[in-house]
Amino acid sequence: MSAFKALWVTENSEGGTTIEITERDSSALPAGEVLVQVSYSSLNYKDALSASGNKGVTRNYPHTPGIDAAGTVLESSVAEFNPGDEVICTGYDLGMNTCGGFAQQIRVPAAWLLKRPQGLSLREAMVLGTAGLTAALCVDKLEKAGVEPGQGPVLVTGATGGVGSVAVKLLAQLGYEVVAATGKEAEHELLLSLGASAVISRAELAANANKPMLKEQWAAAVDTVGGELLFNVVKSLKYGGSVACCGLTAGTNFNANVFPFILRGVNLLGVDSVELPLVVKASMWDKLSLQWKLDLSALVREVSLHELPAAIEQILAGQATGRTLVKLR
Ligand code: NDP
């Protein structure tokens, strides 16, 4: 038994949530094979949904969000992990209905854990976090669909966000011509510095949503926002182009028609980073630690547990930029 600090979200009488930092004991953590001392976590949009009482993410409160965690094994009842091993955990039920990484300790099934990839420190792994893993999965899925540098511009929507900004950086590093779409006028320079060759406004992308088809523009796209914007992207893919769809900040629904699919043969590709088999996650982390290793220092800000509630407000308001690393130790 040992005490540790955790972000603690409770439901309040006004129908919202109250967030505080509390002291918990490892004996109160859920059952699981491996107890981990968490060094770093990271803030993702889904964590903000969990912290604000979204029942689609977290059914029961009180709760500790945090879908990402990286740290050191304290106790293990399985042979694959030993005290002192450095591990990372992203997705599955962590931070959803299992107390998550916004705490100095987590206890999880061994089947959710990966040994830290050799080419990444625990800190670097959490600078990437679920957002970085998802950006990589999007690019991987596009490449498996035949997308290559030189075919034309690749659009990234929600480009200043966690997934979007890592996607811009990764695509540019791989030699793609990247066009970044953002709602943040003030961040165009940041996007250009990450390697985007042009920046367009979210409003420009949203135009002409009533038309069945739009001018062919993008060889491919990483869409982190969903909603009607996503279908405008589908309608402006070049012949045979593909869009990887992973997010919902602009909405969960869109009005669709079949024309882009049957007249231009475009592909709408779904990306999930949560329930992905561990071996696939491992191969993507290995890639991110070697040939797809990124310098994300321009994108990171580090917060403590105490600074996290303000960062949660910011990401919920669509105002966050880049990646927010949470330092637990
Ligand atoms: P962030 O909040 O960091 O980024 C989202 C970005 O979307 C914002 O920065 C903003 O970018 C844009 N945005 C915000 N509000 C709106 C709006 N109303 N309309 C259009 N664009 C908007 O979130 P993450 O990067 O952590 O996650 C992005 C999305 O991907 C989320 O929906 C998240 O749930 C999803 N996700 C899915 C995963 C999966 O496995 N499928 C894994 C990880 C994330 P800008 O101002 O530049 O336009």
Side-chain angles (χ1 to χ4, degrees), residues 131 157-167 182 184 191 194 224 299 320-323:
T157 63
T160 68
V163 179
S165 57
V166 179
T182 182
K184 299 190 188 83
L191 292 166
L194 292 177
T224 75
L299 285 179
T321 296
R323 296 284 297 136

Side-chain angles (χ1 to χ4, degrees), residues 185-315:
E185 285 266 321
E187 300 296 348
H188 289 202
E189 282 307 315
L190 171 75
L191 292 166
L192 294 171
S193 76
L194 292 177
S197 51
V199 181
I200 61 168
S201 73
R202 193 190 293 164
E204 189 180 336
L205 198 64
N208 298 315
N210 55 338
K211 293 196 176 168
M213 296 274 271
L214 294 170
K215 194 177 104 198
E216 292 184 50
Q217 288 192 74
W218 321 117
V222 172
D223 177 68
T224 75
V225 304
E228 298 298 345
L229 280 174
L230 168 60
F231 207 67
N232 261 15
V233 174
V234 171
K235 287 188 287 192
S236 49
L237 287 170
K238 285 175 184 268
Y239 190 92
S242 298
V243 52
C245 148
C246 70
L248 46 66
T249 51
T252 50
N253 299 336
F254 53 82
N255 281 309
N257 68 67
V258 298
F259 295 125
F261 303 106
I262 64 173
L263 299 180
R264 291 187 186 153
V266 304
N267 305 305
L268 175 53
L269 309 170
V271 171
D272 166 58
S273 68
V274 180
E275 292 298 332
L276 200 65
L278 196 66
V279 287
V280 186
K281 283 189 192 178
S283 73
M284 204 48 57
W285 279 110
D286 284 343
K287 218 164 178 178
L288 282 163
S289 73
L290 294 165
Q291 66 267 47
W292 284 8
K293 183 136 191 206
L294 302 169
D295 175 2
L296 298 176
S297 46
L299 285 179
V300 195
R301 68 169 173 150
E302 190 173 300
V303 298
S304 66
L305 216 41
H306 290 274
E307 292 162 328
L308 192 49
I312 289 171
E313 289 298 320
Q314 207 182 13
I315 200 169

Side-chain angles (χ1 to χ4, degrees), residues 86 88 116-125 128 285-286 288-290 293-294:
E86 292 191 324
I88 59 175
R116 174 180 62 76
Q118 280 195 352
L120 292 172
S121 64
L122 291 177
R123 187 179 190 281
E124 286 171 327
L128 288 160
W285 279 110
D286 284 343
L288 282 163
S289 73
L290 294 165
K293 183 136 191 206
L294 302 169

Side-chain angles (χ1 to χ4, degrees), residues 26 28-29 32 46 53 56 70 95 102 104 134 137-138 150 230-231 259 264 273 286 309 325:
S26 54
L29 285 172
K46 198 187 213 176
F102 295 167
Q104 292 170 325
T134 305
L137 288 166
C138 287
L230 168 60
F231 207 67
F259 295 125
R264 291 187 186 153
S273 68
D286 284 343
L325 181 74

